[in-house]
Amino acid sequence: MWRNAIAPCQPDPKLYGVEINEEVVVKKDILTLSDLTRQDMIDLFDLAGELKARYKQGIVDDFLKGRVLGLIFDKHSTRTRVSFEAAMNQIGGSVIYMSSGDMQIARDEPVKDTARVLSRYIDALVVRTYSQELIEAYAAYADIPVINALSDRYHPCQVLSDLLTIIEHKGECEGQKIVWLGDGNNVANSWINAAAVLGLNLVLACPKGYQPDEELLKMAVAQGHGTVSVTGDPREAVRDADVIYTDVWASMGQENERASRIKAFEGFQLDNELVSLAADDVVVMHCLPAHRDEEIAEDVLEGERSIVWDQAENKLHMHKAVLKVLIENNLSQ
Ligand code: CP
Ligand code: NVA
């Protein structure tokens, strides 16, 4: 089960009135995809698929009735925020959206105090911010599930819903050649984690200087039963690909590098010529928001191989599954 099911560093066990020891299962978080086992992921795909089917049939679920989800976002968001909020509302719960700029945390109240106080009010916390360590600090001090909704380092829930989308379109994800094209960024890192856990065939084509973190790659190769490789040659990478995935060249927080990155990523635009080198039934993915005619050609994004709208939709269904599993697990403790 979830590798962080053991509280990672409870600050003061006496605060909880219980002795924390290594055997006590406290809660599950999703901070990175390395927190999940293969079976955890398969269970989430199954549950999200089931919840999606029920929703499409007009069945109204309310298994989180009376439960409250908190969201703290330090970066912009359309899909992740709205899909988490809609998901929680659709399964009977309610949502409080918080901007950390409005909270006492902006006036130096420590994260450890914020996390413990919020744990007394809400049932789960979704955080989007810059620092992965900050999300980990929330998780360490909260006794409710903490969900990473994107950091500079990872975007785990994005990749969970992306995998669900691949399963829907291709029947499975393990046997597919999945190509990451572009920046070795937070989404790419979560793909590397997923590849290690699930045993995927993942090829990352990134320009020199923008390749994913070496240590992360080494860990994935050591842990994984699939294959993860990196190349600087986009044409070679996409040959016979079943899935081609791209993302912006300058992520949130890197806006001032945009001009230099556009130069460095020359030849990495996902255009029709690259698509033509892939398998005939290749699907094109992008987590969005997209910069048209920068990392992806407009006609590819809007073209018949693109599944980006299904991909965006599945964030709703996957987030329902994530909330159900994490919150119900914590209530059963
Ligand atoms: N894909 C994604 O996370 O989109 P948002 O930034 O709009 O949440
Ligand atoms: N890599 C992008 C993903 C946005 C969903 C970013 O961090 O801005």
Side-chain angles (χ1 to χ4, degrees):
M1 283 305 277
W2 255 255
R3 253 166 249 139
N4 61 355
I6 308 298
C9 65
Q10 291 290 357
D12 179 0
K14 289 183 209 77
L15 285 171
Y16 298 86
V18 291
E19 286 301 315
I20 304 291
N21 65 51
E22 294 254 307
E23 301 309 313
V24 177
V25 175
V26 177
K27 63 172 170 129
K28 296 170 180 173
D29 302 302
I30 297 184
L31 310 180
T32 85
L33 287 184
S34 306
D35 294 337
L36 278 68
T37 64
R38 183 169 188 277
Q39 192 58 48
D40 292 331
M41 289 194 195
I42 292 169
D43 291 346
L44 283 172
F45 302 145
D46 289 347
L47 178 59
E50 193 187 319
L51 294 174
K52 180 174 179 175
R54 290 172 65 79
Y55 180 67
K56 299 273 179 194
Q57 288 164 38
I59 299 168
V60 178
D61 283 311
D62 66 350
F63 42 78
L64 290 187
K65 193 170 176 198
R67 301 294 153 197
V68 180
L69 176 67
L71 296 98
I72 300 181
F73 276 45
D74 290 334
K75 289 181 172 183
H76 295 90
S77 175
T78 297
R79 281 146 288 270
T80 308
R81 175 182 171 182
V82 177
S83 58
F84 263 114
E85 292 203 19
M88 190 63 179
N89 281 297
Q90 287 176 14
I91 55 181
S94 58
V95 177
I96 300 173
Y97 179 81
M98 299 163 272
S99 167
S100 56
D102 299 332
M103 299 170 73
Q104 297 290 10
I105 203 162
R107 297 175 59 250
D108 295 335
E109 182 170 22
V111 170
K112 61 183 180 182
D113 295 3
T114 309
R116 283 176 289 182
V117 169
L118 290 178
S119 299
R120 304 288 175 108
Y121 302 146
I122 61 177
D123 297 283
L125 179 64
V126 173
V127 183
R128 170 171 285 199
T129 191
Y130 295 85
S131 150
Q132 177 71 16
E133 289 71 28
L134 182 62
I135 301 179
E136 285 167 8
Y138 274 113
Y141 286 91
D143 54 14
I144 52 172
V146 173
I147 300 164
N148 180 353
L150 181 146
S151 68
D152 288 346
R153 180 90 176 147
Y154 298 113
H155 197 0
C157 295
Q158 176 68 49
V159 173
L160 286 176
S161 50
D162 296 340
L163 285 161
L164 174 67
T165 313
I166 293 174
I167 293 167
E168 285 177 351
H169 280 266
K170 298 284 187 183
E172 43 106 45
C173 49
E174 279 93 341
Q176 310 296 319
K177 179 178 179 186
I178 300 171
V179 176
W180 174 270
L181 183 71
D183 189 20
N185 63 15
N186 43 7
V187 184
N189 287 341
S190 285
W191 270 104
I192 294 167
N193 289 153
V197 174
L198 287 172
L200 302 177
N201 173 8
L202 177 67
V203 179
L204 299 113
C206 314
K208 213 163 167 246
Y210 297 92
Q211 298 188 336
D213 182 78
E214 289 263 323
E215 285 305 307
L216 187 70
L217 283 166
K218 270 192 215 151
M219 267 163 41
V221 170
Q223 183 194 343
H225 2 280
T227 56
V228 179
S229 60
V230 180
T231 171
D233 182 346
R235 296 173 65 85
E236 176 58 34
V238 299
R239 205 166 296 282
D240 301 321
D242 300 299
V243 177
I244 310 178
Y245 196 123
T246 193
D247 184 17
V248 292
W249 292 338
S251 286
M252 288 181 277
Q254 298 171 333
E255 288 80 1
N256 60 0
E257 294 174 32
R258 188 162 172 197
S260 59
R261 282 172 173 263
I262 287 174
K263 259 194 213 143
F265 284 82
E266 209 183 311
F268 282 79
Q269 182 187 91
L270 181 51
D271 57 14
N272 274 318
E273 201 212 323
L274 281 185
V275 173
S276 73
L277 300 173
D280 291 343
D281 61 350
V282 66
V283 291
V284 166
M285 303 182 77
H286 191 309
C287 56
L288 305 176
H291 292 141
R292 285 167 159 78
D293 295 329
E294 202 169 292
E295 76 277 0
I296 187 164
E298 162 98 32
D299 50 5
V300 171
L301 186 75
E302 300 287 358
E304 58 172 7
R305 305 311 323 155
S306 168
I307 57 168
V308 299
W309 315 116
D310 293 346
Q311 198 185 339
E313 178 191 335
N314 277 339
K315 289 170 73 81
L316 174 73
H317 309 296
M318 179 51 72
H319 292 166
K320 283 184 189 172
V322 163
L323 292 171
K324 183 177 191 321
V325 169
L326 267 57
I327 293 176
E328 286 182 352
N329 169 74
N330 207 38
L331 292 172
S332 70
Q333 298 296 317

